[in-house]
Amino acid sequence: MHSPQELGTYCLNAFTRAVPASLAAFYRIDDGLSAVDFQLHGDPARMHDSYLRRYRHLDPLQPGYCQRLERGVVSLRDAQRLQSKQRNDGYQTFLSQHDVVDVTEVLFYRHRRPVMGISLLRKSCFGRFNSHELATLQSLQEMLQLAVTHTPHALAPAEYVPVSLTKREAQLVPLLREGASNKAIARALGIEPSTVKTHLDNLYRKFEVNNRTELVGRL
């Protein structure tokens, strides 16, 4: 593995081939035990954006909670035992809005601290993860854990390379951070929505991201 992006792609492909998932996300875990640098699979961008803005604090599968269980594979049901019913109900409301019926987290550790993870989400068409599927995830986790232990460089943030922006692209940045829609950006800058889309496509290319959520994360 030569970069976190390549490692993320490998993990997402391997785990979703072994155990079907409607949506998935690969992420690093920073020193504060927060998930960062998300890499999405299955086009969950809209759900992910809502998660980051409104529901992340209710998630029982956050790395800090999962670390307390000291497991490589953590089911939603097990994680829910670590927080109050009120918080669980709030998070369940979020999942139901997107037809998600189950979530399983796969964590990888170094020196007993989680350093990266994968979220696997199931919609109603797949049903909940069964015991056989959880065992399969556990086997994959154990194999990849060996690679994580012996290749720490693969998890380090990529070396920062300054990105050169045009004047108009720079004007988009604060609006994107605020979560403004294309139409709102167009009105604020006095340009057409199609022009906003063109600038966004250029920003995706410059920052080497695939969607708006990843771009905002990089910004």
Side-chain angles (χ1 to χ4, degrees):
M1 303 298 170
H2 299 290
S3 72
Q5 185 81 11
E6 291 173 333
L7 181 59
T9 298
Y10 171 81
C11 289
L12 289 170
N13 289 339
F15 278 82
T16 55
R17 279 199 302 265
V19 176
S22 305
L23 308 169
F26 171 87
Y27 54 87
R28 287 193 312 106
I29 299 170
D30 65 16
D31 291 339
L33 293 181
S34 292
V36 296
D37 297 340
F38 290 92
Q39 193 171 333
L40 307 180
H41 175 86
D43 195 27
R46 182 178 177 185
M47 178 181 179
H48 185 67
D49 182 60
S50 176
Y51 168 81
L52 293 178
R53 286 188 292 108
R54 298 183 56 190
Y55 294 98
R56 184 174 189 166
H57 67 288
L58 299 175
D59 184 1
L61 286 165
Q62 295 179 72
Y65 285 139
C66 291
Q67 184 184 34
R68 290 163 58 183
L69 292 172
E70 297 185 342
R71 298 180 191 170
V73 176
V74 181
S75 70
L76 178 62
R77 281 163 289 188
D78 286 343
Q80 285 175 330
R81 296 170 186 157
L82 300 177
Q83 66 176 15
S84 69
K85 181 179 185 301
Q86 182 180 8
R87 293 173 67 87
N88 285 332
D89 288 346
Y91 192 64
Q92 196 64 52
T93 297
F94 162 67
L95 295 179
S96 298
Q97 290 172 355
H98 298 275
D99 189 34
V100 173
V101 298
D102 203 6
V103 185
T104 294
E105 216 75 8
V106 183
L107 280 297
F108 302 91
Y109 294 79
R110 185 175 305 116
H111 306 305
R112 302 188 69 178
R113 190 185 77 80
V115 292
M116 73 177 193
I118 301 171
S119 292
L120 299 169
L121 294 82
R122 279 272 184 87
K123 293 193 174 186
S124 57
C125 59
F126 281 111
R128 295 183 179 276
F129 294 96
N130 60 43
S131 58
H132 174 72
E133 290 169 328
L134 293 175
T136 299
L137 293 175
Q138 183 64 49
S139 296
L140 283 173
Q141 189 276 342
E142 291 170 0
M143 287 188 288
L144 189 56
Q145 178 64 56
L146 293 173
V148 171
T149 301
H150 296 291
T151 56
H153 63 281
L155 301 173
E159 181 181 356
Y160 174 70
V161 179
V163 176
S164 176
L165 302 181
T166 67
K167 180 179 179 180
R168 184 64 83 187
E169 289 168 352
Q171 291 173 337
L172 261 69
V173 170
L175 297 171
L176 289 168
R177 284 174 173 161
E178 293 170 4
S181 67
N182 285 12
K183 289 183 178 179
I185 293 173
R187 286 196 300 270
L189 300 182
I191 58 179
E192 294 295 322
S194 59
T195 305
V196 174
K197 185 178 184 304
T198 298
H199 288 309
L200 280 174
D201 289 340
N202 290 335
L203 288 171
Y204 292 162
R205 176 180 53 79
K206 288 183 176 183
F207 283 93
E208 298 181 351
V209 297
N210 299 311
N211 55 57
R212 195 188 195 97
T213 300
E214 291 180 10
L215 175 62
V216 172
R218 290 293 303 277
L219 294 175

